[in-house]
Amino acid sequence: MVAPARTSFPKSEISVLLLENIHASADELFGAAGEGWKIERASAALREGELIERIRDVHVLGIRSKTRVTPAVLNEARRLLAIGAFCIGTNQIACGAAAHAGVPVFNAPYSNTRSVAELVLAEIVFLARQLGDRIREVHGGRWRKVSAGCHEVRGKTLGIIGYGHIGTQVGVLAEAFGMRVLYFDIATKLAVGNVRPVPDLRALLASSDFVTLHVPETPQTQGMIGAAELAAMRPGAHLLNASRGTVVDVEALAAALRAGHLAGAAVDVFPEEPEGASDDFQSPLRGLGNVILTPHIGGSTEEAQENIGREVATSLTKFVNTGATTGAVNFPEIEMPSIPGTHRILNIHKNVPGVLRDINRIVSDLGANIRAQHLATDADIGYLVMDLDHDVSDDVKNAVAALPTNVRTRILY
Ligand code: NAI
């Protein structure tokens, strides 16, 4: 849903710069939510110097993974309201410096969930039927009909480690294939369908014919599957990793495959991945039988790109039009319903003691009638959204903006 538009200045003055061929679904959203926004596009990433030149009049910046938004860029971005990372990661953006400048950063971490889940299901069938090997053989002119060691997946047990967005979708699809599905997660999760939780990792490893990893990269998940865990898996089982490369010890995995303890593996992510297409890929898993290796393409589909365009553009328009920061990676999150007939003040301030006291004093001195107020803070900044009656809203906004703790203040009429 596109947020109802309010304005802090004429719509035609909002300037959007979209780099790196962001999907056209973003423009549709900007068109619907911010008719009149001036959208400029560039197909390539911009280098720091070029971006500094272009950023000065930009209110909304959209990038993908290649444009670096450095503190130097942010220094020049006097008008910038928000940044959209039309991708999953936000390492290319100086998110802390952006927060200090009062600029939230939005991304779309779950737009490719289904793409990953579908790939995993396809790989389970591929592994069960040794399809990678058969395809390679036939392409090489060898006609080797094999049924030994090849299985249906119906009735087999799939163990999901990390039952989050992707893990849950994998479970739904696997049940549709007639698999029995177990999961292990450190958080309590609502099981969908007939999927069942197991109390610990060892229980999952010992009970599964296929084990698939869908955990984030954290200190606890680094190396979570090593030689001991692989040994705890059923003989003839399969391991799938489309989460993060550091979660699995690939040397130990290669050893378990070579020893014949595991019957196959599908790996999409690696501890070290080449920077680009011209770089060599090295891995102890290369050349092993019934091992599917893919170049981190779990989430790479046109549908995911389209979802990313739509989701990030939605977050950006909602922030510009209502101040909502839900899903921002570097900002306290607030999404407050609009009260018709009020003006809304959005104030970003340094999170030091006494700010709310100062703001409340302004409100009380000016006799403003506050209809709704929400404050959220993190270690460095505070974000205050305040709906108030029309009469003195401009005076309140100006007085709040003049406080020494002010980072940015906007008013939406
Ligand atoms: P999510 O945050 O929705 O789910 C992760 C789940 O793992 C959560 O339920 C969490 O409680 C659980 N978890 C965290 N630490 C755990 C631990 N030590 N043991 C057991 N469970 C644990 O994340 P989502 O979207 O499902 O993504 C999962 C992974 O997939 C991430 O690592 C992400 O980077 C990766 N990914 C890979 C893609 C690819 O192209 N191959 C594309 C998209 C995501």
mmCIF file of all heavy atoms in Angstrom, residues 166-202:
data_model
loop_
_atom_site.group_PDB
_atom_site.id
_atom_site.type_symbol
_atom_site.label_atom_id
_atom_site.label_comp_id
_atom_site.label_asym_id
_atom_site.label_seq_id
_atom_site.Cartn_x
_atom_site.Cartn_y
_atom_site.Cartn_z
ATOM 1 N N ILE A 166 13.265 -17.683 4.760
ATOM 2 C CA ILE A 166 13.553 -18.672 3.711
ATOM 3 C C ILE A 166 13.235 -20.079 4.218
ATOM 4 O O ILE A 166 12.585 -20.869 3.524
ATOM 5 C CB ILE A 166 15.028 -18.577 3.254
ATOM 6 C CG1 ILE A 166 15.290 -17.198 2.625
ATOM 7 C CG2 ILE A 166 15.366 -19.684 2.255
ATOM 8 C CD1 ILE A 166 16.747 -16.912 2.318
ATOM 9 N N GLY A 167 13.699 -20.387 5.426
ATOM 10 C CA GLY A 167 13.471 -21.716 5.985
ATOM 11 C C GLY A 167 11.995 -22.096 5.975
ATOM 12 O O GLY A 167 11.632 -23.229 5.636
ATOM 13 N N THR A 168 11.135 -21.155 6.319
ATOM 14 C CA THR A 168 9.694 -21.439 6.358
ATOM 15 C C THR A 168 9.170 -21.763 4.953
ATOM 16 O O THR A 168 8.391 -22.706 4.772
ATOM 17 C CB THR A 168 8.929 -20.219 6.931
ATOM 18 O OG1 THR A 168 9.510 -19.893 8.183
ATOM 19 C CG2 THR A 168 7.463 -20.509 7.106
ATOM 20 N N GLN A 169 9.611 -20.986 3.956
ATOM 21 C CA GLN A 169 9.167 -21.240 2.581
ATOM 22 C C GLN A 169 9.678 -22.583 2.076
ATOM 23 O O GLN A 169 8.960 -23.314 1.394
ATOM 24 C CB GLN A 169 9.684 -20.124 1.651
ATOM 25 C CG GLN A 169 9.016 -18.790 1.867
ATOM 26 C CD GLN A 169 7.596 -18.757 1.354
ATOM 27 O OE1 GLN A 169 7.319 -19.214 0.255
ATOM 28 N NE2 GLN A 169 6.689 -18.227 2.145
ATOM 29 N N VAL A 170 10.910 -22.918 2.433
ATOM 30 C CA VAL A 170 11.462 -24.222 2.040
ATOM 31 C C VAL A 170 10.591 -25.332 2.632
ATOM 32 O O VAL A 170 10.264 -26.317 1.963
ATOM 33 C CB VAL A 170 12.937 -24.360 2.511
ATOM 34 C CG1 VAL A 170 13.424 -25.805 2.386
ATOM 35 C CG2 VAL A 170 13.842 -23.435 1.713
ATOM 36 N N GLY A 171 10.195 -25.158 3.887
ATOM 37 C CA GLY A 171 9.346 -26.169 4.553
ATOM 38 C C GLY A 171 8.024 -26.348 3.827
ATOM 39 O O GLY A 171 7.561 -27.486 3.620
ATOM 40 N N VAL A 172 7.406 -25.236 3.421
ATOM 41 C CA VAL A 172 6.113 -25.310 2.718
ATOM 42 C C VAL A 172 6.271 -26.083 1.408
ATOM 43 O O VAL A 172 5.489 -26.990 1.097
ATOM 44 C CB VAL A 172 5.581 -23.870 2.440
ATOM 45 C CG1 VAL A 172 4.403 -23.902 1.481
ATOM 46 C CG2 VAL A 172 5.205 -23.174 3.754
ATOM 47 N N LEU A 173 7.296 -25.741 0.650
ATOM 48 C CA LEU A 173 7.497 -26.392 -0.655
ATOM 49 C C LEU A 173 7.857 -27.875 -0.472
ATOM 50 O O LEU A 173 7.382 -28.736 -1.214
ATOM 51 C CB LEU A 173 8.598 -25.679 -1.443
ATOM 52 C CG LEU A 173 8.299 -24.223 -1.839
ATOM 53 C CD1 LEU A 173 9.507 -23.586 -2.517
ATOM 54 C CD2 LEU A 173 7.091 -24.154 -2.764
ATOM 55 N N ALA A 174 8.679 -28.174 0.541
ATOM 56 C CA ALA A 174 9.104 -29.555 0.755
ATOM 57 C C ALA A 174 7.922 -30.435 1.168
ATOM 58 O O ALA A 174 7.822 -31.596 0.743
ATOM 59 C CB ALA A 174 10.202 -29.608 1.821
ATOM 60 N N GLU A 175 7.030 -29.889 1.973
ATOM 61 C CA GLU A 175 5.843 -30.675 2.358
ATOM 62 C C GLU A 175 4.983 -30.976 1.136
ATOM 63 O O GLU A 175 4.388 -32.053 1.033
ATOM 64 C CB GLU A 175 5.026 -29.925 3.415
ATOM 65 C CG GLU A 175 5.676 -29.999 4.790
ATOM 66 C CD GLU A 175 4.676 -29.947 5.924
ATOM 67 O OE1 GLU A 175 3.739 -29.133 5.845
ATOM 68 O OE2 GLU A 175 4.843 -30.724 6.887
ATOM 69 N N ALA A 176 4.925 -30.013 0.221
ATOM 70 C CA ALA A 176 4.151 -30.244 -1.007
ATOM 71 C C ALA A 176 4.743 -31.393 -1.831
ATOM 72 O O ALA A 176 4.045 -32.049 -2.589
ATOM 73 C CB ALA A 176 4.088 -28.966 -1.847
ATOM 74 N N PHE A 177 6.036 -31.645 -1.653
ATOM 75 C CA PHE A 177 6.694 -32.772 -2.322
ATOM 76 C C PHE A 177 6.533 -34.069 -1.537
ATOM 77 O O PHE A 177 7.075 -35.100 -1.907
ATOM 78 C CB PHE A 177 8.203 -32.486 -2.462
ATOM 79 C CG PHE A 177 8.594 -31.959 -3.803
ATOM 80 C CD1 PHE A 177 8.454 -30.623 -4.118
ATOM 81 C CD2 PHE A 177 9.119 -32.816 -4.768
ATOM 82 C CE1 PHE A 177 8.829 -30.131 -5.358
ATOM 83 C CE2 PHE A 177 9.484 -32.334 -6.016
ATOM 84 C CZ PHE A 177 9.339 -30.997 -6.310
ATOM 85 N N GLY A 178 5.860 -34.002 -0.399
ATOM 86 C CA GLY A 178 5.654 -35.205 0.407
ATOM 87 C C GLY A 178 6.791 -35.502 1.354
ATOM 88 O O GLY A 178 6.932 -36.626 1.840
ATOM 89 N N MET A 179 7.627 -34.505 1.623
ATOM 90 C CA MET A 179 8.732 -34.745 2.564
ATOM 91 C C MET A 179 8.254 -34.530 4.003
ATOM 92 O O MET A 179 7.297 -33.802 4.258
ATOM 93 C CB MET A 179 9.909 -33.795 2.267
ATOM 94 C CG MET A 179 10.501 -33.993 0.887
ATOM 95 S SD MET A 179 11.980 -32.985 0.614
ATOM 96 C CE MET A 179 13.239 -34.018 1.363
ATOM 97 N N ARG A 180 8.962 -35.190 4.919
ATOM 98 C CA ARG A 180 8.748 -34.960 6.336
ATOM 99 C C ARG A 180 9.728 -33.850 6.716
ATOM 100 O O ARG A 180 10.907 -33.927 6.369
ATOM 101 C CB ARG A 180 9.119 -36.270 7.056
ATOM 102 C CG ARG A 180 8.711 -36.370 8.461
ATOM 103 C CD ARG A 180 9.010 -37.824 8.933
ATOM 104 N NE ARG A 180 9.320 -37.752 10.340
ATOM 105 C CZ ARG A 180 10.540 -37.835 10.836
ATOM 106 N NH1 ARG A 180 11.592 -38.044 10.046
ATOM 107 N NH2 ARG A 180 10.726 -37.738 12.140
ATOM 108 N N VAL A 181 9.249 -32.797 7.392
ATOM 109 C CA VAL A 181 10.127 -31.636 7.596
ATOM 110 C C VAL A 181 10.326 -31.351 9.086
ATOM 111 O O VAL A 181 9.367 -31.263 9.856
ATOM 112 C CB VAL A 181 9.565 -30.378 6.889
ATOM 113 C CG1 VAL A 181 10.527 -29.203 7.048
ATOM 114 C CG2 VAL A 181 9.304 -30.656 5.410
ATOM 115 N N LEU A 182 11.585 -31.210 9.471
ATOM 116 C CA LEU A 182 11.964 -30.843 10.845
ATOM 117 C C LEU A 182 12.722 -29.520 10.779
ATOM 118 O O LEU A 182 13.310 -29.196 9.746
ATOM 119 C CB LEU A 182 12.907 -31.890 11.439
ATOM 120 C CG LEU A 182 12.482 -33.353 11.370
ATOM 121 C CD1 LEU A 182 13.639 -34.238 11.865
ATOM 122 C CD2 LEU A 182 11.230 -33.565 12.218
ATOM 123 N N TYR A 183 12.714 -28.769 11.876
ATOM 124 C CA TYR A 183 13.580 -27.588 11.888
ATOM 125 C C TYR A 183 14.199 -27.383 13.255
ATOM 126 O O TYR A 183 13.662 -27.807 14.279
ATOM 127 C CB TYR A 183 12.841 -26.324 11.439
ATOM 128 C CG TYR A 183 11.820 -25.777 12.421
ATOM 129 C CD1 TYR A 183 12.203 -24.922 13.454
ATOM 130 C CD2 TYR A 183 10.480 -26.118 12.317
ATOM 131 C CE1 TYR A 183 11.270 -24.419 14.349
ATOM 132 C CE2 TYR A 183 9.549 -25.625 13.213
ATOM 133 C CZ TYR A 183 9.941 -24.774 14.222
ATOM 134 O OH TYR A 183 9.025 -24.290 15.111
ATOM 135 N N PHE A 184 15.356 -26.688 13.210
ATOM 136 C CA PHE A 184 15.987 -26.244 14.454
ATOM 137 C C PHE A 184 16.245 -24.749 14.335
ATOM 138 O O PHE A 184 16.798 -24.284 13.337
ATOM 139 C CB PHE A 184 17.313 -26.977 14.695
ATOM 140 C CG PHE A 184 18.134 -26.326 15.760
ATOM 141 C CD1 PHE A 184 17.686 -26.305 17.083
ATOM 142 C CD2 PHE A 184 19.329 -25.669 15.453
ATOM 143 C CE1 PHE A 184 18.421 -25.664 18.071
ATOM 144 C CE2 PHE A 184 20.066 -25.035 16.439
ATOM 145 C CZ PHE A 184 19.606 -25.024 17.747
ATOM 146 N N ASP A 185 15.806 -24.004 15.336
ATOM 147 C CA ASP A 185 16.026 -22.555 15.345
ATOM 148 C C ASP A 185 16.295 -22.144 16.786
ATOM 149 O O ASP A 185 15.734 -22.723 17.715
ATOM 150 C CB ASP A 185 14.784 -21.837 14.818
ATOM 151 C CG ASP A 185 15.091 -20.411 14.361
ATOM 152 O OD1 ASP A 185 15.508 -19.584 15.198
ATOM 153 O OD2 ASP A 185 14.918 -20.128 13.160
ATOM 154 N N ILE A 186 17.139 -21.131 16.967
ATOM 155 C CA ILE A 186 17.408 -20.689 18.343
ATOM 156 C C ILE A 186 16.238 -19.878 18.900
ATOM 157 O O ILE A 186 16.114 -19.724 20.100
ATOM 158 C CB ILE A 186 18.710 -19.855 18.470
ATOM 159 C CG1 ILE A 186 18.776 -18.800 17.361
ATOM 160 C CG2 ILE A 186 19.927 -20.738 18.494
ATOM 161 C CD1 ILE A 186 19.821 -17.745 17.624
ATOM 162 N N ALA A 187 15.405 -19.348 17.996
ATOM 163 C CA ALA A 187 14.236 -18.591 18.461
ATOM 164 C C ALA A 187 13.001 -19.480 18.380
ATOM 165 O O ALA A 187 12.968 -20.431 17.594
ATOM 166 C CB ALA A 187 14.053 -17.360 17.587
ATOM 167 N N THR A 188 11.993 -19.159 19.183
ATOM 168 C CA THR A 188 10.742 -19.916 19.101
ATOM 169 C C THR A 188 10.001 -19.449 17.856
ATOM 170 O O THR A 188 9.782 -18.270 17.670
ATOM 171 C CB THR A 188 9.877 -19.651 20.356
ATOM 172 O OG1 THR A 188 10.675 -19.947 21.487
ATOM 173 C CG2 THR A 188 8.624 -20.500 20.357
ATOM 174 N N LYS A 189 9.642 -20.389 16.996
ATOM 175 C CA LYS A 189 9.016 -20.036 15.714
ATOM 176 C C LYS A 189 7.701 -20.778 15.564
ATOM 177 O O LYS A 189 7.567 -21.911 16.039
ATOM 178 C CB LYS A 189 9.946 -20.445 14.562
ATOM 179 C CG LYS A 189 11.253 -19.685 14.538
ATOM 180 C CD LYS A 189 11.039 -18.340 13.942
ATOM 181 C CE LYS A 189 12.217 -17.420 14.116
ATOM 182 N NZ LYS A 189 12.126 -16.238 13.300
ATOM 183 N N LEU A 190 6.766 -20.139 14.887
ATOM 184 C CA LEU A 190 5.492 -20.793 14.608
ATOM 185 C C LEU A 190 5.695 -21.763 13.447
ATOM 186 O O LEU A 190 6.100 -21.355 12.352
ATOM 187 C CB LEU A 190 4.439 -19.737 14.233
ATOM 188 C CG LEU A 190 3.069 -20.282 13.860
ATOM 189 C CD1 LEU A 190 2.372 -20.838 15.089
ATOM 190 C CD2 LEU A 190 2.227 -19.186 13.223
ATOM 191 N N ALA A 191 5.436 -23.046 13.685
ATOM 192 C CA ALA A 191 5.634 -24.046 12.632
ATOM 193 C C ALA A 191 4.471 -23.996 11.650
ATOM 194 O O ALA A 191 3.311 -23.986 12.058
ATOM 195 C CB ALA A 191 5.747 -25.430 13.253
ATOM 196 N N VAL A 192 4.782 -23.948 10.370
ATOM 197 C CA VAL A 192 3.750 -23.915 9.340
ATOM 198 C C VAL A 192 3.489 -25.344 8.857
ATOM 199 O O VAL A 192 4.423 -26.110 8.642
ATOM 200 C CB VAL A 192 4.207 -23.016 8.160
ATOM 201 C CG1 VAL A 192 3.190 -23.035 7.028
ATOM 202 C CG2 VAL A 192 4.438 -21.582 8.643
ATOM 203 N N GLY A 193 2.220 -25.682 8.673
ATOM 204 C CA GLY A 193 1.859 -27.023 8.186
ATOM 205 C C GLY A 193 2.197 -28.077 9.237
ATOM 206 O O GLY A 193 1.992 -27.877 10.429
ATOM 207 N N ASN A 194 2.755 -29.204 8.779
ATOM 208 C CA ASN A 194 3.090 -30.293 9.709
ATOM 209 C C ASN A 194 4.563 -30.293 10.110
ATOM 210 O O ASN A 194 5.069 -31.279 10.645
ATOM 211 C CB ASN A 194 2.754 -31.642 9.067
ATOM 212 C CG ASN A 194 1.259 -31.782 8.852
ATOM 213 O OD1 ASN A 194 0.468 -31.429 9.732
ATOM 214 N ND2 ASN A 194 0.864 -32.245 7.679
ATOM 215 N N VAL A 195 5.241 -29.209 9.800
ATOM 216 C CA VAL A 195 6.667 -29.110 10.120
ATOM 217 C C VAL A 195 6.843 -29.153 11.635
ATOM 218 O O VAL A 195 6.047 -28.578 12.370
ATOM 219 C CB VAL A 195 7.201 -27.772 9.534
ATOM 220 C CG1 VAL A 195 8.631 -27.523 9.935
ATOM 221 C CG2 VAL A 195 7.058 -27.782 8.011
ATOM 222 N N ARG A 196 7.902 -29.862 12.097
ATOM 223 C CA ARG A 196 8.075 -30.012 13.551
ATOM 224 C C ARG A 196 9.435 -29.502 14.018
ATOM 225 O O ARG A 196 10.448 -29.759 13.347
ATOM 226 C CB ARG A 196 7.942 -31.490 13.942
ATOM 227 C CG ARG A 196 6.464 -31.936 13.986
ATOM 228 C CD ARG A 196 6.327 -33.323 14.538
ATOM 229 N NE ARG A 196 7.031 -34.322 13.743
ATOM 230 C CZ ARG A 196 8.056 -35.039 14.181
ATOM 231 N NH1 ARG A 196 8.528 -34.876 15.394
ATOM 232 N NH2 ARG A 196 8.627 -35.943 13.397
ATOM 233 N N PRO A 197 9.455 -28.804 15.160
ATOM 234 C CA PRO A 197 10.750 -28.365 15.697
ATOM 235 C C PRO A 197 11.490 -29.514 16.371
ATOM 236 O O PRO A 197 10.852 -30.451 16.864
ATOM 237 C CB PRO A 197 10.360 -27.306 16.738
ATOM 238 C CG PRO A 197 8.964 -27.649 17.143
ATOM 239 C CD PRO A 197 8.321 -28.359 15.985
ATOM 240 N N VAL A 198 12.812 -29.466 16.374
ATOM 241 C CA VAL A 198 13.589 -30.419 17.187
ATOM 242 C C VAL A 198 14.370 -29.607 18.213
ATOM 243 O O VAL A 198 14.662 -28.436 17.991
ATOM 244 C CB VAL A 198 14.552 -31.283 16.327
ATOM 245 C CG1 VAL A 198 13.785 -32.242 15.447
ATOM 246 C CG2 VAL A 198 15.475 -30.410 15.506
ATOM 247 N N PRO A 199 14.710 -30.208 19.355
ATOM 248 C CA PRO A 199 15.258 -29.411 20.457
ATOM 249 C C PRO A 199 16.686 -28.926 20.232
ATOM 250 O O PRO A 199 17.091 -27.927 20.788
ATOM 251 C CB PRO A 199 15.198 -30.369 21.654
ATOM 252 C CG PRO A 199 15.113 -31.733 21.059
ATOM 253 C CD PRO A 199 14.441 -31.594 19.745
ATOM 254 N N ASP A 200 17.472 -29.638 19.426
ATOM 255 C CA ASP A 200 18.854 -29.173 19.227
ATOM 256 C C ASP A 200 19.379 -29.611 17.864
ATOM 257 O O ASP A 200 18.781 -30.433 17.171
ATOM 258 C CB ASP A 200 19.772 -29.643 20.367
ATOM 259 C CG ASP A 200 19.733 -31.147 20.533
ATOM 260 O OD1 ASP A 200 19.940 -31.837 19.515
ATOM 261 O OD2 ASP A 200 19.469 -31.638 21.654
ATOM 262 N N LEU A 201 20.516 -29.025 17.537
ATOM 263 C CA LEU A 201 21.124 -29.261 16.223
ATOM 264 C C LEU A 201 21.438 -30.739 16.005
ATOM 265 O O LEU A 201 21.187 -31.283 14.924
ATOM 266 C CB LEU A 201 22.398 -28.418 16.131
ATOM 267 C CG LEU A 201 23.159 -28.437 14.821
ATOM 268 C CD1 LEU A 201 22.294 -27.962 13.673
ATOM 269 C CD2 LEU A 201 24.414 -27.578 14.927
ATOM 270 N N ARG A 202 22.003 -31.386 17.039
ATOM 271 C CA ARG A 202 22.393 -32.794 16.898
ATOM 272 C C ARG A 202 21.190 -33.673 16.538
ATOM 273 O O ARG A 202 21.281 -34.562 15.693
ATOM 274 C CB ARG A 202 23.031 -33.314 18.202
ATOM 275 C CG ARG A 202 24.444 -32.798 18.418
ATOM 276 C CD ARG A 202 25.308 -33.255 17.252
ATOM 277 N NE ARG A 202 26.601 -32.583 17.252
ATOM 278 C CZ ARG A 202 27.746 -33.163 17.564
ATOM 279 N NH1 ARG A 202 27.769 -34.423 17.903
ATOM 280 N NH2 ARG A 202 28.868 -32.495 17.490
#
